[in-house]
Amino acid sequence: MTAAAGLQTVLTVPKRFRGPEGTANGGWIAGTLAGTLTGAGHESPVEVTLRRPVPLETGLTLEQVGNAVVLSVGESHLAEAIPVAEPLTPPPFVPFTDAARAEAGFPGLHGHAIAGCFACGLREPGDGLRIFPGPVDGTDLVAAGWRVPFNVTDEQGVVPGSIVWAALDCATGWAHHRAFSAEPARPPLLGRLTGQVFRRVYPMGRYSVVARATGREGRKIFGTSAVYEVDGTLVAAAQATWIIPK
């Protein structure tokens, strides 16, 4: 969908695309907003800032304001997306076999605070994306082998950008697990995701999802992620800012 300047569009997030309980997966909603801009001809990265949790199964207002797209419900400003010029620096390629092997170390297999998450949750095969990033031996990376479900396509049989953004999202949070495994804190929440999709993703295809932790400032933690084809071709890249709840 594309929000024409000055016009409003109603967006409803289906329960399937949930993240934390009762709210949308941050990557999916970020990719949906980014799609309203890329559909208008923008080919630069898009920065999406999530101000408040986005509710499920609720009529939300999507409006283009200048070169930004704003999502709201009632008087509450939920998120906005804007094209940016800064280049994205993806983490390095990890071959699919190594990425799939790393899944055995996915911390969420032994206790997952958001087990129903569309991207990284312990959902039934074909329901969620089941991207389980685990540490890659000898590196500071986490990775997962993504096997794209056949039923995530749109009416034209294309895997939409919102699905790819969802794949880019959670891995950047799990990249910090080793640093925070000793901290009995609530899981961090996605605050900002800047991403760009360069190539199509195909249903039933196999891809490497790779992420790296890149720093921390107070309650903010930062990471980068990428999706690669089996031959190492870059499909999509993102950088994320997560907020550790007080």
Side-chain angles (χ1 to χ4, degrees):
M1 102 187 42
T2 300
L7 298 180
Q8 296 183 346
T9 303
V10 176
L11 170 68
T12 301
V13 183
K15 290 181 180 178
R16 182 185 185 190
F17 303 121
R18 61 189 179 274
E21 186 65 29
T23 64
N25 171 267
W28 186 90
I29 197 67
T32 298
L33 297 189
T36 67
L37 292 174
T38 55
H42 296 288
E43 296 184 357
S44 61
V46 175
E47 177 186 277
V48 182
T49 302
L50 303 173
R51 304 291 182 183
R52 292 179 174 81
V54 176
L56 303 170
E57 301 292 343
T58 302
L60 311 173
T61 300
L62 190 65
E63 182 178 12
Q64 187 151 354
V65 180
N67 67 339
V69 170
V70 176
L71 184 70
S72 59
V73 58
E75 299 299 317
S76 182
H77 180 178
L78 303 177
E80 72 269 359
I82 188 169
V84 293
E86 69 177 297
L88 297 170
T89 303
F93 172 60
V94 173
F96 180 85
T97 53
D98 294 337
R101 188 178 303 116
E103 294 175 23
F106 175 54
L109 297 175
H110 310 289
H112 199 313
I114 310 176
C117 175
F118 173 67
C120 69
L122 308 179
R123 305 266 289 267
E124 291 297 319
D127 181 25
L129 298 184
R130 294 176 59 86
I131 296 173
F132 302 150
V136 179
D137 290 343
T139 75
D140 62 348
L141 305 171
V142 296
W146 181 25
R147 305 150 187 88
V148 183
F150 70 90
N151 61 351
V152 293
T153 59
D154 60 19
E155 295 82 357
Q156 287 74 45
V158 175
V159 177
S162 57
I163 300 298
V164 183
W165 279 64
L168 291 165
D169 168 16
C170 297
T172 60
W174 288 109
H176 289 270
H177 181 79
R178 282 178 283 194
F180 295 110
S181 59
E183 297 186 19
R186 295 165 57 194
L189 299 174
L190 184 66
R192 175 172 291 160
L193 191 63
T194 303
Q196 187 170 9
V197 178
F198 303 99
R199 301 170 65 87
R200 283 183 59 179
V201 163
Y202 292 88
M204 306 304 291
R206 300 192 305 167
Y207 300 85
S208 295
V209 177
V210 187
R212 165 182 277 160
T214 57
R216 176 176 180 175
E217 294 179 3
R219 292 193 300 115
K220 295 181 179 181
I221 58 176
F222 308 97
T224 61
S225 60
V227 176
Y228 288 98
E229 294 183 352
V230 292
D231 65 355
T233 300
L234 180 65
V235 172
Q239 60 187 32
T241 300
W242 293 76
I243 308 298
I244 303 169
K246 292 181 180 180

